[in-house]
Amino acid sequence: HSLNVKSAWLHVLSDSLASLGVIISGLVILFTGWRYADPIASVLIGGLMLVGGWRVIREAGSVFLELSPQGINPEEVIRQMKGVSGVLDIHDFHLWMITPQIVTLAAHVQVKDQPLAATQATLAELQSRLRGLGIGHTTMQLECHDCALGETFCHQLEAPEREKNGK
């Protein structure tokens, strides 16, 4: 499943097919004199190499460009996340691949205003559901719903007494 192993396997397979093509086309030319066997074998092998190489390049490009992984529907992921008890909304949602085997998610999760310790069960359930969808690495920022309504911090710190009194 590794992109490196897949590339190496494709290289070995291409070399093997090229050797086999040379042997078969050589035998055809030797026994029949038909000289088109060699270019036909070369075109077939080259075509197979191009198809395999294109697949590896496309997969590597998806990782490099941090595209959403094929086979995981982002809307379904959001629906599953919103189905967790205590989750009110999801925003700043990002889903991408670090490698074809490691799918990553980052999101802001709005929850009801509650003590931090109470959010651990919600976070554990979110991570469990995401692992079930094939998402192994997650970074989730839990936010209280009331805080997310404004553009400023929900609980701004009071200025120290000496600043209030001009001292």
Side-chain angles (χ1 to χ4, degrees), residues 3-13:
L3 194 55
N4 290 333
V5 172
K6 192 181 292 186
S7 297
W9 182 83
L10 182 63
H11 181 79
V12 170
L13 181 65

Side-chain angles (χ1 to χ4, degrees), residues 13-86:
L13 181 65
S14 298
D15 286 350
S16 299
L17 285 174
S19 297
L20 184 63
V22 167
I23 292 169
I24 291 172
S25 64
L27 289 173
V28 167
I29 292 170
L30 180 66
F31 290 114
T32 67
W34 192 55
R35 298 201 181 272
Y36 292 111
D38 185 48
I40 289 172
S42 297
V43 168
L44 290 175
I45 293 165
L48 290 173
M49 290 171 67
L50 284 173
V51 169
W54 175 250
R55 288 180 181 161
V56 170
I57 289 169
R58 187 179 61 212
E59 193 170 348
S62 295
V63 170
F64 181 68
L65 295 171
E66 296 182 349
L67 299 179
S68 293
Q70 291 183 356
I72 298 179
N73 182 347
E75 289 81 21
E76 175 62 18
V77 173
I78 292 171
R79 190 183 70 71
Q80 287 285 331
M81 291 175 73
K82 285 182 176 180
V84 172
S85 177

